[in-house]
Amino acid sequence: MNDRRISDNMEQLLNKQMTREAYQAQVYLSYGSWAEVNSFGGIATFLYKHSNEEREHMFKFLKYINDRGGSATIEAIAAAPVNPKNIGECLNAILQHEIDNSKEIDKIVNLAHEEKDWATFSFGQWFVKEQIEEESLIKDVIDKYNLASTATSQNHNLYDMDKDLASASQEGTLPREESL
Ligand code: OFO
């Protein structure tokens, strides 16, 4: 019995996205480390947790590809971008990564629709929704940053923002909580 339930094109696109999710995780990890080194522990916590979320997304793709009779292919992950100059640049770069990622998710949903592959269409909807939430979350953080960095008592506001992000709702564990 042929248990292959996705087309070759779809398998290729899903594999590409799986690698992209791994890349997203690396971007957040790299920026998190940069924030930690620059004494923004709260922002680092937020970014580290988000890195783990992206890694969970990568696993979702891996499992889906394999469950549908395809084969997940583990490929090289591109290097994370160079360190940002400041928090503003860091947050804006993250938002752009998320917007670019949303466009890649749209390609999967478009192909699924074209191929009448309703299982993948449904799988893709989870990511469409997730991207809406993520873009909105980062925009919200940018708004807070803009408020904090333009006020007169700048350092005090940045300190408060850093504390806020430490308790922002996120899933996943921190690299610093992993046991060796
Ligand atoms: Fe940024 O979320 Fe993955 O897909």
Side-chain angles (χ1 to χ4, degrees):
M1 191 181 90
N2 182 8
D3 62 357
R4 188 176 168 80
R5 306 282 285 127
I6 46 174
S7 69
D8 289 354
N9 284 346
M10 185 57 84
E11 182 182 33
Q12 215 175 19
L13 201 54
L14 291 169
N15 266 306
K16 194 169 157 234
Q17 186 60 28
M18 180 182 70
T19 306
R20 189 184 166 95
E21 299 291 343
Y23 171 69
Q24 291 279 103
Q26 295 292 87
V27 171
Y28 280 99
L29 187 66
S30 164
Y31 285 179
S33 173
W34 169 83
E36 187 164 58
V37 165
N38 284 278
S39 307
F40 287 106
I43 292 171
T45 295
F46 175 80
L47 296 170
Y48 282 151
K49 285 184 176 177
H50 205 95
S51 173
N52 283 346
E53 268 198 30
E54 296 293 354
R55 203 168 153 72
E56 281 162 18
H57 295 170
M58 177 199 71
F59 279 129
K60 276 186 193 289
F61 276 96
L62 182 147
K63 181 155 179 29
Y64 183 76
I65 295 164
N66 291 344
D67 280 355
R68 298 301 286 166
S71 181
T73 313
I74 309 305
E75 290 181 343
I77 306 166
V82 291
N83 285 338
K85 290 193 195 68
N86 51 48
I87 297 293
E89 192 178 299
C90 171
L91 297 175
N92 280 294
I94 283 169
L95 178 60
Q96 193 54 54
H97 278 290
E98 289 300 344
I99 292 171
D100 292 344
N101 196 43
S102 299
K103 290 179 183 164
E104 296 304 313
I105 298 289
D106 287 349
K107 288 182 192 168
I108 293 169
V109 177
N110 284 341
L111 182 64
H113 191 269
E114 209 176 285
E115 294 184 348
K116 299 196 187 326
D117 172 356
W118 305 122
T120 305
F121 187 81
S122 166
F123 172 76
Q125 290 306 312
W126 187 90
F127 284 93
V128 169
K129 191 165 163 279
E130 179 73 6
Q131 285 306 117
I132 293 170
E133 284 173 18
E134 292 193 352
E135 284 185 33
S136 154
L137 172 70
I138 305 298
K139 278 188 209 150
D140 195 44
V141 174
I142 291 175
D143 284 347
K144 285 195 174 115
Y145 168 77
N146 287 338
L147 265 181
S149 62
T150 52
T152 42
S153 52
Q154 209 178 71
N155 291 344
H156 181 70
N157 284 329
L158 275 172
Y159 177 72
D160 283 346
M161 178 197 170
D162 197 42
K163 273 201 305 192
D164 271 2
L165 286 186
S167 56
S169 125
Q170 292 270 13
E171 286 170 8
T173 50
L174 297 176
R176 66 171 79 114
E177 289 167 356
E178 292 292 342
S179 55
L180 297 174

